[in-house]
Amino acid sequence: TILITGGLGQIGTELSEHLISKYGSEKVLVSDIKSEASGDIRYTRLDVADLDKIMKVIKENDITDIFHLAAILSATGEKDPFLTFNVNLMGTQNMYTVVKKLNLNKLFIPSTIGVYGPTTPKDMVPEDTVIRPATMYGITKISAEMLGEYYSKKFGMDVRGLRFPGLISYKFPPTAGTTDYAVDMIIHAVKGEDYTCYLKQDTEMPMMYMPDALDAVIDLYEAPRSNLTRSTDYNVGSYSITPASLYEEIKKYYPEFRVEYKPDYRQDIADGWPHSIDFTKAQRDWNFKPKYDFQRTVKDMVLNLKRKLKA
Ligand code: NAD
Ligand code: VAH
């Protein structure tokens, strides 16, 4: 059985659907710190900081594999750095502890381009480069990556992970990150509302559409281990955008749409991240190939958000 932690968030909502359709609902246990889940899923409340409870859930449900998504994202991370340290770093260390102790099969951990920092070069950034993140989110994520790599080498544990860029999706809104503006802006346009963007119009960051992100998770998870040259830090991505380029793309569908720019504390976070990333190692080792370019992403978002709004 597969356990998903943080399964009720932006990625978890869709990844659990995906895993359930692939392996069957009896094979997937969704967990999160939230007390209840909606829909027809096997769900248990689980705080990833609680090692005893994690052990109990894993033993009682014959868990063999874990997709560990629970985290505090970058923007909330700066508001509560100590909580972020505890959930992101201690929570992930707890996963390593149970995988080792109970000899589990595989652990998947998503990382982020938030591991890069202000002194990292900005363009076509590879996995190995200057890595000095300036946010608690980035510090915890790079530490979690490095621990995973260490335990893989030291104990032979199968820990796999990739660095996502900002993810664009319509099923469950992002709420706690720095790249969220992209989803927010499209939602406002579809609702016929003006949008106030918390980043400057020329802030460039890499992004990817959720269907490509889900494929990336599954493809890396299923890849023969002998093909992998890295453990927890494969870069993935699709295109880079700015608030201004997104605004122009949305105006093709909503010519009356208006955006104003009022940068807040999230501007500093975004300024420390790369403009574009090099994901050739994921292409080479496990055939990563995103299907959605920027135009196709916006088209699909508009279509699906319109449908959702009508319903
Ligand atoms: P999210 O904030 O939407 O979801 C995270 C979930 O974790 C939430 O449902 C939350 O309730 C849960 N959670 C928080 N504290 C917890 C705790 N103590 N115990 C158990 N659950 C807890 O985030 P997401 O976008 O779904 O991100 C999932 C993972 O992907 C994170 O590790 C994040 O760093 C990574 N990631 C996301 C993006 C993105 O753009 N969405 C990009 C890069 C990396
Ligand atoms: C955030 N969406 O903004 C996440 C992600 C690459 C960005 O880690 O915090």
Side-chain angles (χ1 to χ4, degrees):
T1 303
I2 293 170
L3 173 70
I4 306 178
T5 71
L8 300 184
Q10 188 194 6
I11 301 179
T13 305
E14 298 205 35
L15 183 64
S16 39
E17 251 181 51
H18 203 78
L19 292 173
I20 287 168
S21 68
K22 205 170 157 64
Y23 300 108
S25 59
E26 71 291 349
K27 289 275 176 221
V28 180
L29 178 64
V30 182
S31 73
D32 199 286
I33 200 162
K34 293 168 191 165
S35 47
E36 277 176 24
S38 58
D40 192 16
I41 55 173
R42 281 179 66 202
Y43 181 75
T44 188
R45 184 181 180 281
L46 180 63
D47 178 351
V48 295
D50 183 347
L51 182 57
D52 294 340
K53 177 83 190 285
I54 300 169
M55 284 279 186
K56 189 167 177 277
V57 165
I58 289 181
K59 285 181 183 162
E60 282 176 356
N61 294 280
D62 293 323
I63 300 298
T64 53
D65 294 64
I66 304 176
F67 288 77
H68 173 52
L69 307 183
I72 306 295
L73 273 69
S74 59
T76 310
E78 290 315 287
K79 294 201 162 144
D80 199 339
F82 294 106
L83 172 72
T84 305
F85 180 88
N86 204 33
V87 174
N88 295 9
L89 195 49
M90 300 314 289
T92 309
Q93 171 61 32
N94 285 341
M95 296 301 140
Y96 296 140
T97 303
V98 295
V99 169
K100 166 88 174 53
K101 261 201 170 150
L102 304 177
N103 198 18
L104 302 188
N105 181 34
K106 270 188 229 175
L107 170 65
F108 172 81
I109 55 160
S111 190
T112 166
I113 55 132
V115 299
Y116 300 116
T119 50
T120 306
K122 289 287 176 200
D123 298 307
M124 292 308 287
V125 177
E127 285 84 352
D128 295 317
T129 180
V130 179
I131 299 202
R132 296 192 60 78
T135 61
M136 181 54 94
Y137 180 61
I139 292 167
T140 57
K141 290 301 235 180
I142 188 67
S143 308
E145 271 185 18
M146 290 176 70
L147 286 169
E149 190 179 314
Y150 175 83
Y151 295 132
S152 286
K153 286 196 178 130
K154 181 128 183 135
F155 305 121
M157 285 159 47
D158 193 345
V159 186
R160 303 180 184 200
L162 40 71
R163 290 180 184 156
F164 278 132
L167 297 182
I168 299 180
S169 70
Y170 62 86
K171 290 196 181 165
F172 189 87
T175 50
T178 303
T179 56
D180 301 4
Y181 85 85
V183 175
D184 289 349
M185 195 189 284
I186 307 174
I187 291 177
H188 276 73
V190 174
K191 283 185 174 165
E193 295 166 359
D194 293 348
Y195 180 62
T196 303
C197 183
Y198 56 79
L199 296 179
K200 288 191 241 164
Q201 59 178 343
D202 59 352
T203 311
E204 186 177 14
M205 289 188 285
M207 302 267 179
M208 174 159 75
Y209 198 33
M210 187 61 86
D212 285 329
L214 299 177
D215 284 348
V217 173
I218 302 297
D219 290 348
L220 173 59
Y221 174 75
E222 289 185 342
R225 200 173 179 196
S226 54
N227 288 3
L228 304 181
T229 55
R230 313 191 70 88
S231 173
T232 50
D233 64 0
Y234 278 104
N235 276 348
V236 292
S238 186
Y239 42 81
S240 293
I241 62 169
T242 63
S245 69
L246 179 58
Y247 174 55
E248 288 308 316
E249 192 58 32
I250 295 173
K251 276 209 296 187
K252 292 182 186 165
Y253 304 88
Y254 299 98
E256 306 296 312
F257 181 49
R258 292 284 165 268
V259 171
E260 68 170 324
Y261 298 93
K262 285 198 180 152
D264 67 14
Y265 70 100
R266 288 169 279 192
Q267 185 66 48
D268 271 352
I269 303 176
D271 286 343
W273 291 355
H275 295 162
S276 59
I277 45 176
D278 171 354
F279 44 83
T280 48
K281 293 185 188 67
Q283 287 171 325
R284 182 195 64 197
D285 290 0
W286 45 276
N287 209 16
F288 169 69
K289 202 166 186 278
K291 297 185 186 75
Y292 287 83
D293 63 13
F294 175 39
Q295 286 73 23
R296 200 171 158 213
T297 299
V298 175
K299 190 175 177 190
D300 202 66
M301 283 288 289
V302 168
L303 195 84
N304 281 294
L305 284 168
K306 265 163 79 172
R307 271 196 202 131
K308 225 178 136 181
L309 213 66
K310 256 193 198 155

